[in-house]
Amino acid sequence: MEADWDEIAQTALPPPGPHALSTPVASLAFDPCQELVWTGNTYGRVTSFYGPELQKYTSFRAHPTDEGSVRAVLVNEKGVISISSKSVHFAIRRGLPEWHVTHEKMTDLRCMSYTSKGTSEILVAGWQNVMFVVDVDKGVITREIETTSNYSIMRLSRYICAATTAGYVDIIDSTKLTVVKSWKAHGTIHDMDTQNFYLVTCGHSNRQHITMTGMSLMMDPLAQVFDLRSLAPLPPIPFPAGAAYVRLHPRMVTTGIIASQQGQLQLVDLMNPNAVTLRQANVQSPLTHMELSPLGQALILADQECLMHLWGSPTQSMRFCEVSGPVEFADVATPLPQIDWTADTPLSSVGLPYYRETLLSAWPSNLVFEVGHPPPKVDPDLLADLTPMDIGGYARNRKGLKRNVVETTILIDSSSGPLIAPKFLSEKAREAGADGSNERRISDAVEALGEINMSDLKAQVPLHYRNVEIKYSRFGVDDFDFEFYNRTHYSGLETHIANSYSNSLLQLLRFVPLARNIALQHAATSCLSEHCLLCELGFLFDMLESANGLNCQATNFLKTFSSLPQAAQLGLLEEDSPSTALTTIIQNMNRFLLERVSVDYKEISPASPTLDNTFRTSAITSIRCLSCHTETMREGGSYVTELTYARRAATTKAAARMPQPTFSEVLKASIECEIQTRGWCDKCRKYQPLTTRKSIQSIPSVLMLNAAIHSAEAKKYWGIPNWLPSSIGLGIENGSVLVCEGAELMKRLDSPNSLTVYELVGFVADIDSGEHQTPHLVSLINVNISSRPNSNSDSTDKEEAQWYLFNDFLVRRVPAADALSFHSTWKLPSILTYQVRSASHSLSDEWKSSLSTSLLYTEWSTNGVPPHPTTRLLDPSTEAPGPGTLVAIDSEFVALQREEIEIKADGTRETIRPSRLALARVSVCRGAGMAEGIPFIDDYIVTSEPVVDYVTAFSGIRAGDLSPQSSTHPLVPLKVAYKKLWLLRVLGCVFVGHGLIKDFRTINIHLPKSQVIDTVVLFQSPHFRRKLKLRFLAWLLLRQDIQTGDHDSVEDARSALGLYRKYQEFQEAGVFEERLEDVYRKGRELGFNPPSSASLSAAAAVAGTATAEGVARGENTPPPLYQQPGGSMPGTPSRRPAPLLREPGTPGRSEGVGLSGSPLR
């Protein structure tokens, strides 16, 4: 409160009716987002006033009259929340209701407060034994909390401070909503406020005094102070006039204003209560309310005469909040045209307006109920066959409905729902097998999407922009038909991973050639840092390129990103920022990611300026004091430029005729970024107005721009057609940036001092699909810029833009006009990326020639345990892997999170989220040579996350095997294990294994089909869908009994290699199809499982003593598939037409041994 503060405006609260008297103010609040003051009266009506003149803005009824007065008002960026004794109401500032919540246990509500989730959730309480948690976005009650205290006032700072009717203040945890501490403040609490770390209360003492109406409590002459850091009381503040109201200054931490009921105002310092400033308000009746504006420049008082008094400085421009949004006023009514009405005038000449917004005449949500359509008329043919009964009749069911089933008559609104998921692959296979057709596909829907034009749908969101989600069958995510959403050769990213909102930004960076080259070059180095995001970007970009249209997932990148403590501190994790808009989170992530990548790059190449030249805008910042004109210079630069939009303060007709600023003008102002703030001046030795301006030294090759659309004015810019240029020119002249576009750019290109041309690579867009869907992010990218010069492009002209939409795993081509058009209601940009035109098509593969492979020849163990004696590292001089090198692989996994399922009313199970697996062990064996089958990689992966299931029966991993403190195996970080496999893939090795598709998916690596030999696929009959187990095939074909105890990945890898060798033998002999049929026939007999030792003993007793003795020695292996005369086993089956199994009644080929003991008998 400055020395010149005085009353500058006064107004009365409007009466509730035309001839009614004014009513006192029942509740009072400043708007934190606009220049408004909100009041509630005793009849349930909410009224607002605009500006320092307290001009009436809106007034609407929020609660029924019989519920009494408006007890409290809260305001957020979306609207106004008010409570009465029995209901909670939310409306936009213009008065239109959003929702209205009532409950049978709402009997006497008194107060409310926001929780730790920000303005998206409130806690409502009162003189009742139940508190309610209400979701502000949905308008539903999410929790009911039993309480033994009756609350009358609530304030939020570090905690929720709630005043009880007994004079106590309960300190409530804003997250858990439990009482942390309770503090006795007064006999009864009249008012209180909290800011930062302090809580101040005013109330009645336990002493009584005599009035004209009898005995009453006296106002306490002390204002109590409480420290929320130590949860302990501080010395009270004396106020002899009786402290009735208190408000703490929002900016001055220890400053507050205390008022008495007679209007005496006292400005106090909590740390120095003796230093006070007294003022007296000109009021004729006792005060009833006092509020201080969010900026601290205005104070408003309400008295019992229904008057409101606004206090402030008459000599300064008054503002209620620091960043005031535009207030939307009523449009000026357009005069109706005169129509010469005659009997022949057509009715169509009277124009009817088209409304895109909710009308004032729309009923509120609490008065709208869903009802069914009238019942359909009974079919006359059914009535003709009706057999009458005593009551009603019966007839034959002509519609094919089941018993006790009727058709629904409720019209289901599917226009705003998400894109309907296709059928599962297993369902298609069954349908195709049933009708014998292999040509049935679900591409009809994809072609249907191609017919959708954005101009036809206008404000409606097109289908391919809407939310997409993965459905899970009992076969997991592998059964989902991703090809339904993507028929291109560009891969999409899946969404079932935490923090997958970043998919759009990752796709955008992948199509920036310079960013892609840097990431891959760094991944090819010897960097082994577990928290290196640049390496993870390189691995991800390489996977997306090699996948060639198959869906991928950013599991490893997001796992590394989520493990960084800075990401959590900045609110970049979805679980930590549930109420923050995704467009805000992705722009913050853009800034954090580039800064973090720069640190990772300099860890390996500290002297290389490549990354800074690519992304960093170098500048010198000039800070000048406007009082003493002292100027200081310091080096400054940034990796991301945030667009700033000049606000048009003038509202005159001349200002309205001024041309809208172009994108180039906005970009120039954003790069140079001249701002005025208050800061500390060393020369003046106090805070002074400062001017900060950047002098640009160099512009990077890639411009990363945050759109930063926070106002309606900014949205208007993006609503201008063709406002975003596809090409811009940038240059520097005397520290000033030159930016131009369009015709001016073409003109400057011909001048001697030509500019550098930048092309729009793409952008991340925020999509608001409607009230039935949550907002999400997509990326729109011109893939032509990142195409290879010799690639087969969709366009014959390399300069023609090819825009693609990347909506997570939905990828499709869109016209350039549709891609570059924006809609303020549902499509706005979040991040934009420009790259110098000279770097187009500059995809470099030099990183492959400089690949650091030393990791493959180095022992690695974080816990100091040496490798197993059977493991032998590769010899770089004789065993260096290269294209075509055969290796056998097997992996084991543990579960970090169990699957989430939902049991429906009909008893069916639906998987909401599959279990989350982590790589626990990976073994890679030599596939050829003298050392064939000897492992050179056998790594156990250390994990810091809790394991919910070691799956020991299938993985062989036990508790403690992955812990550095207790493991007896050599442990390596996931980064090391993954990079070994990635190096083998890049070098061109061919991987042999059993069930590699799922293994590689969980490891998060993609291999081309030419580098994968999966024995599951080799030994699967085209006539059967069943896939055979490794143990059964090894028992039947290799005479090996594996997996009898714990699983061993080395053993499984060797068995898979042996099956591949057996496959080669059968193919060379030309009997593979015949042998495969025999395998399936024998599998059906045994249930596709090897027989137990007991059953083998019985079979051996029949076959002969020699076999029985073998079983007794523990040899659970079958006799050979077939034998040559003399009992010898050939290395390759002889090519002869004789069948593998003899027909009944015919002698076998070997009378000496016989085939009675063969498992194929």
Side-chain angles (χ1 to χ4, degrees):
M1 180 182 293
E2 303 293 341
D4 62 341
W5 270 41
D6 201 352
E7 183 177 307
I8 62 174
Q10 182 185 114
T11 188
L13 191 64
H19 304 290
L21 298 176
S22 296
T23 61
V25 176
S27 55
L28 187 63
F30 276 98
D31 196 315
C33 303
Q34 295 185 7
E35 298 294 309
L36 296 173
V37 179
W38 293 91
T39 64
N41 69 2
T42 56
Y43 292 91
R45 180 173 289 274
V46 176
T47 306
S48 61
F49 300 88
Y50 171 71
E53 298 82 11
L54 295 182
Q55 173 187 350
K56 183 180 176 182
Y57 178 57
T58 54
S59 181
F60 56 90
R61 183 177 299 281
H63 306 275
T65 306
D66 57 1
E67 293 184 3
S69 61
V70 177
R71 300 287 178 84
V73 174
L74 283 179
V75 189
N76 60 21
E77 64 277 4
K78 295 183 180 180
V80 185
I81 310 170
S82 62
I83 62 171
S84 65
S85 60
K86 299 181 181 180
S87 62
V88 186
H89 187 84
F90 182 51
I92 65 175
R93 288 176 173 81
R94 290 180 295 135
L96 299 180
E98 291 289 321
W99 48 260
H100 188 89
V101 174
T102 59
H103 194 276
E104 59 182 4
K105 295 183 180 180
M106 291 182 179
T107 57
D108 195 358
L109 300 180
R110 294 276 175 165
C111 54
M112 59 181 168
S113 170
Y114 293 120
T115 67
S116 61
K117 295 185 178 181
T119 59
S120 64
E121 185 179 82
I122 60 174
L123 176 66
V124 184
W127 292 3
Q128 55 185 39
N129 58 1
V130 179
M131 297 191 297
F132 298 92
V133 179
V134 181
D135 188 323
V136 176
D137 296 329
K138 299 179 181 178
V140 295
I141 297 174
T142 59
R143 281 179 65 187
E144 296 182 22
I145 305 174
E146 298 291 335
T147 177
T148 57
S149 302
N150 293 334
Y151 296 116
S152 55
I153 307 173
M154 278 188 173
R155 298 286 186 266
L156 173 67
S157 61
R158 299 185 66 179
Y159 300 94
I160 298 176
C161 302
T164 71
T165 55
Y168 284 85
V169 177
D170 285 351
I171 309 300
I172 300 176
D173 188 297
S174 60
T175 302
K176 300 178 182 179
L177 301 182
T178 56
V179 177
V180 177
K181 187 177 180 63
S182 188
W183 171 51
K184 179 67 173 180
H186 305 274
T188 58
I189 298 177
H190 191 263
D191 193 19
M192 71 177 186
D193 195 24
T194 176
Q195 288 284 351
N196 299 309
F197 310 116
Y198 301 104
L199 168 69
V200 183
T201 64
C202 300
H204 299 88
S205 67
N206 292 324
R207 297 175 298 169
Q208 296 184 346
H209 70 289
I210 301 175
T211 64
M212 297 180 62
T213 59
M215 302 292 293
S216 65
L217 295 176
M218 295 178 59
M219 297 303 302
D220 199 329
L222 296 175
Q224 302 293 339
V225 185
F226 194 72
D227 191 335
L228 295 178
R229 292 171 293 186
S230 59
L231 296 180
L234 296 177
I237 301 173
F239 193 78
Y245 303 97
V246 61
R247 287 295 177 266
L248 297 179
H249 200 281
R251 292 194 165 188
M252 302 178 184
V253 179
T254 61
T255 302
I257 300 176
I258 302 177
S260 69
Q261 288 185 322
Q262 290 72 35
Q264 181 177 327
L265 305 176
Q266 178 174 314
L267 182 68
V268 298
D269 189 337
L270 302 183
M271 299 295 101
N272 185 15
N274 296 324
V276 298
T277 301
L278 292 175
R279 303 300 298 272
Q280 178 64 44
N282 184 20
V283 294
Q284 305 300 322
S285 61
L287 296 181
T288 58
H289 289 84
M290 181 178 74
E291 282 295 336
L292 188 62
S293 68
L295 196 58
Q297 294 184 1
L299 179 72
I300 192 166
L301 308 171
D303 59 23
Q304 291 184 357
E305 292 185 349
C306 313
L307 294 177
M308 293 184 295
H309 309 264
L310 183 65
W311 276 60
S313 175
T315 61
Q316 297 181 5
S317 176
M318 178 183 292
R319 288 190 302 145
F320 294 163
C321 48
E322 183 173 6
V323 181
S324 302
V327 179
E328 186 177 2
F329 290 96
D331 298 331
V332 178
T334 304
L336 298 177
Q338 289 295 118
I339 299 179
D340 295 332
W341 191 266
T342 65
D344 299 329
T345 301
L347 295 178
S348 59
S349 62
V350 180
L352 295 177
Y354 174 74
Y355 300 99
R356 295 187 179 182
E357 301 177 351
T358 305
L359 300 180
L360 289 172
S361 58
W363 285 20
S365 58
N366 61 307
L367 297 179
V368 177
F369 304 95
E370 182 180 286
V371 297
H373 287 185
K377 294 182 179 180
V378 181
D379 188 356
D381 295 336
L382 187 145
L383 292 175
D385 296 339
L386 189 67
T387 301
M389 302 289 291
D390 294 338
I391 301 178
Y394 65 90
R396 185 166 57 90
N397 185 359
R398 295 177 175 270
K399 293 187 177 182
L401 298 176
K402 295 182 179 180
R403 184 182 180 89
N404 298 326
V405 174
V406 296
E407 292 180 327
T408 178
T409 59
I410 299 177
L411 181 61
I412 300 176
D413 180 18
S414 60
S415 60
S416 60
L419 189 61
I420 300 176
K423 293 182 179 179
F424 293 113
L425 297 177
S426 56
E427 294 177 340
K428 297 182 189 180
R430 286 195 296 269
E431 292 179 0
D435 59 11
S437 172
N438 293 325
E439 301 298 326
R440 295 185 59 186
R441 304 187 60 84
I442 313 185
S443 57
D444 298 340
V446 179
E447 274 78 19
L449 289 178
E451 301 297 328
I452 297 177
N453 192 343
M454 293 174 63
S455 59
D456 297 337
L457 295 172
K458 296 182 179 179
Q460 186 179 2
V461 182
L463 280 176
H464 48 274
Y465 277 95
R466 295 183 184 173
N467 302 66
V468 292
E469 57 181 341
I470 300 176
K471 298 293 185 180
Y472 306 99
S473 71
R474 62 189 182 94
F475 300 108
V477 71
D478 296 329
D479 200 24
F480 188 75
D481 186 12
F482 288 99
E483 189 180 357
F484 172 79
Y485 297 93
N486 184 8
R487 303 291 297 277
T488 72
H489 57 276
Y490 300 109
S491 298
L493 290 171
E494 298 174 17
T495 59
H496 65 285
I497 313 166
N499 302 308
S500 59
Y501 73 88
S502 59
N503 287 349
S504 54
L505 177 58
L506 298 177
Q507 288 281 19
L508 178 59
L509 291 174
R510 178 236 162 167
F511 285 97
V512 179
L514 296 181
R516 174 258 185 200
N517 294 342
I518 290 176
L520 287 173
Q521 288 167 2
H522 183 82
T525 65
S526 58
C527 176
L528 294 177
S529 172
E530 297 181 50
H531 304 293
C532 180
L533 289 181
L534 189 53
C535 277
E536 297 298 339
L537 281 177
F539 298 149
L540 178 61
F541 293 167
D542 181 52
M543 178 171 59
L544 288 170
E545 287 187 7
S546 61
N548 195 30
L550 298 178
N551 59 292
C552 299
Q553 50 186 345
T555 307
N556 289 353
F557 173 86
L558 293 177
K559 183 177 182 180
T560 304
F561 171 73
S562 303
S563 67
L564 298 175
Q566 299 92 334
Q569 294 168 5
L570 295 173
L572 303 182
L573 306 183
E574 287 179 305
E575 61 269 21
D576 296 334
S577 305
S579 59
T580 306
L582 284 182
T583 182
T584 302
I585 299 178
I586 195 67
Q587 292 180 68
N588 293 338
M589 180 185 176
N590 183 33
R591 187 181 299 106
F592 167 76
L593 179 61
L594 293 180
E595 293 175 355
R596 179 72 189 191
V597 159
S598 173
V599 175
D600 295 338
Y601 183 83
K602 293 175 182 177
E603 289 290 334
I604 300 298
S605 307
S608 175
T610 303
L611 190 137
D612 282 353
N613 293 341
T614 303
F615 290 107
R616 191 171 187 269
T617 301
S618 179
I620 296 178
T621 303
S622 169
I623 304 175
R624 184 182 184 187
C625 176
L626 297 182
S627 178
C628 64
H629 303 290
T630 301
E631 188 171 5
T632 58
M633 313 287 287
R634 66 184 182 189
E635 195 277 336
S638 61
Y639 293 95
V640 176
T641 300
E642 190 164 300
L643 298 183
T644 56
Y645 308 89
R647 302 187 63 181
R648 309 179 71 181
T651 57
T652 61
K653 293 183 178 180
R657 290 194 296 267
M658 292 176 58
Q660 292 282 1
T662 64
F663 177 82
S664 300
E665 294 171 348
V666 171
L667 180 59
K668 173 181 171 62
S670 304
I671 295 177
E672 295 179 344
C673 191
E674 181 174 353
I675 58 176
Q676 290 188 358
T677 57
R678 288 184 63 87
W680 181 261
C681 177
D682 291 332
K683 185 175 181 180
C684 299
R685 304 301 299 173
K686 62 180 179 179
Y687 285 95
Q688 296 284 16
L690 303 178
T691 299
T692 304
R693 188 181 185 278
K694 288 184 178 180
S695 177
I696 306 302
Q697 304 300 305
S698 64
I699 301 177
S701 303
V702 177
L703 280 178
M704 300 295 294
L705 309 177
N706 280 351
I709 304 174
H710 303 309
S711 64
E713 187 73 19
K715 291 182 180 181
K716 291 180 181 179
Y717 292 158
W718 292 100
I720 301 174
N722 302 320
W723 191 70
L724 179 65
S726 58
S727 299
I728 56 174
L730 281 89
I732 301 177
E733 189 175 277
N734 300 326
S736 178
V737 179
L738 301 178
V739 187
C740 59
E741 61 181 88
E744 183 182 358
L745 174 60
M746 302 303 297
K747 182 179 179 180
R748 283 184 173 269
L749 290 179
D750 299 332
S751 63
N753 298 327
S754 61
L755 305 178
T756 303
V757 180
Y758 286 72
E759 288 184 315
L760 178 64
V761 178
F763 55 88
V764 175
D766 181 30
I767 306 298
D768 186 359
S769 302
E771 59 178 346
H772 299 297
Q773 298 189 61
T774 57
H776 64 288
L777 301 171
V778 303
S779 52
L780 289 129
I781 303 171
N782 179 12
V783 300
N784 180 57
I785 294 177
S786 61
S787 62
R788 297 182 181 271
N790 58 349
S791 64
N792 295 324
S793 176
D794 295 342
S795 172
T796 57
D797 185 4
K798 279 292 179 185
E799 299 303 322
E800 181 182 346
Q802 300 176 33
W803 285 92
Y804 277 76
L805 167 68
F806 292 83
N807 183 4
D808 292 322
F809 51 84
L810 186 153
V811 184
R812 60 162 297 169
R813 186 170 182 177
V814 294
D818 290 349
L820 297 176
S821 63
F822 300 95
H823 302 268
S824 61
T825 57
W826 65 270
K827 178 187 176 186
L828 287 171
S830 298
I831 300 173
L832 302 102
T833 301
Y834 282 87
Q835 181 186 255
V836 291
R837 178 176 291 178
S838 58
S840 298
H841 317 296
S842 59
L843 300 184
S844 173
D845 289 335
E846 296 180 359
W847 59 276
K848 293 184 179 180
S849 59
S850 59
L851 193 66
S852 176
T853 59
S854 59
L855 182 61
L856 295 174
Y857 316 110
T858 307
E859 288 186 5
W860 188 280
S861 176
T862 59
N863 58 344
V865 178
H868 194 273
T870 59
T871 302
R872 193 175 74 195
L873 292 177
L874 294 175
D875 185 351
S877 60
T878 59
E879 296 181 302
T885 300
L886 194 67
V887 295
I889 184 174
D890 189 69
S891 306
E892 308 295 350
F893 305 93
V894 293
L896 302 181
Q897 182 178 348
R898 301 186 188 276
E899 69 174 356
E900 300 177 16
I901 62 173
E902 180 182 15
I903 307 297
K904 296 186 177 180
D906 58 357
T908 59
R909 295 160 52 101
E910 180 180 1
T911 302
I912 305 300
R913 186 182 295 271
S915 60
R916 185 162 62 93
L917 303 178
L919 181 64
R921 183 186 180 188
V922 58
S923 301
V924 183
C925 302
R926 296 166 175 84
M930 297 297 295
E932 178 178 333
I934 296 179
F936 61 92
I937 296 176
D938 189 16
D939 292 337
Y940 286 76
I941 289 80
V942 62
T943 177
S944 59
E945 297 184 71
V947 178
V948 299
D949 189 358
Y950 286 92
V951 205
T952 304
F954 301 98
S955 67
I957 306 296
R958 299 183 180 275
D961 285 349
L962 307 182
S963 172
Q965 291 77 25
S966 58
S967 179
T968 59
H969 309 285
L971 297 177
V972 301
L974 177 63
K975 169 77 172 288
V976 173
Y978 182 89
K979 192 164 187 176
K980 289 180 182 180
L981 301 180
W982 182 74
L983 289 172
L984 294 175
R985 188 206 73 80
V986 175
L987 292 172
C989 295
V990 178
F991 291 80
V992 179
H994 196 81
L996 292 182
I997 295 178
K998 189 171 184 179
D999 285 1
F1000 286 150
R1001 173 185 175 83
T1002 308
I1003 297 173
N1004 197 27
I1005 191 172
H1006 178 83
L1007 274 77
K1009 291 183 179 180
S1010 60
Q1011 289 183 244
V1012 178
I1013 299 176
D1014 196 339
T1015 52
V1016 165
V1017 179
L1018 294 183
F1019 287 94
Q1020 183 180 14
S1021 172
H1023 309 295
F1024 301 96
R1025 293 196 301 270
R1026 174 181 286 276
K1027 297 178 181 180
L1028 303 180
K1029 300 177 182 178
L1030 176 63
R1031 183 186 178 195
F1032 174 71
L1033 289 174
W1035 178 84
L1036 191 62
L1037 300 178
L1038 304 180
R1039 298 179 297 158
Q1040 296 177 0
D1041 192 18
I1042 65 173
Q1043 301 176 359
T1044 54
D1046 292 342
H1047 278 227
D1048 186 351
S1049 55
V1050 173
E1051 180 184 53
D1052 291 352
R1054 289 171 176 166
S1055 299
L1057 181 61
L1059 289 177
Y1060 174 58
R1061 295 303 186 194
K1062 185 64 64 176
Y1063 168 81
Q1064 289 179 316
E1065 293 176 5
F1066 288 160
Q1067 286 286 7
E1068 291 175 2
V1071 294
F1072 175 72
E1073 290 77 10
E1074 181 183 354
R1075 299 294 179 264
L1076 188 60
E1077 292 179 4
D1078 293 334
V1079 168
Y1080 270 86
R1081 181 188 60 78
K1082 192 62 180 179
R1084 287 192 295 272
E1085 294 177 4
L1086 300 176
F1088 293 95
N1089 286 307
S1092 62
S1093 299
S1095 61
L1096 271 182
S1097 300
V1102 178
T1105 307
T1107 305
E1109 292 177 354
V1111 175
R1113 293 193 303 267
E1115 298 175 2
N1116 182 15
T1117 55
L1121 289 174
Y1122 58 90
Q1123 293 177 331
Q1124 293 179 339
S1128 61
M1129 185 73 181
T1132 302
S1134 57
R1135 191 180 183 90
R1136 59 180 65 182
L1140 177 65
L1141 305 179
R1142 66 184 182 186
E1143 298 295 331
T1146 61
R1149 294 193 300 269
S1150 176
E1151 299 296 337
V1153 178
L1155 294 179
S1156 60
S1158 171
L1160 295 183
R1161 173 64 177 162

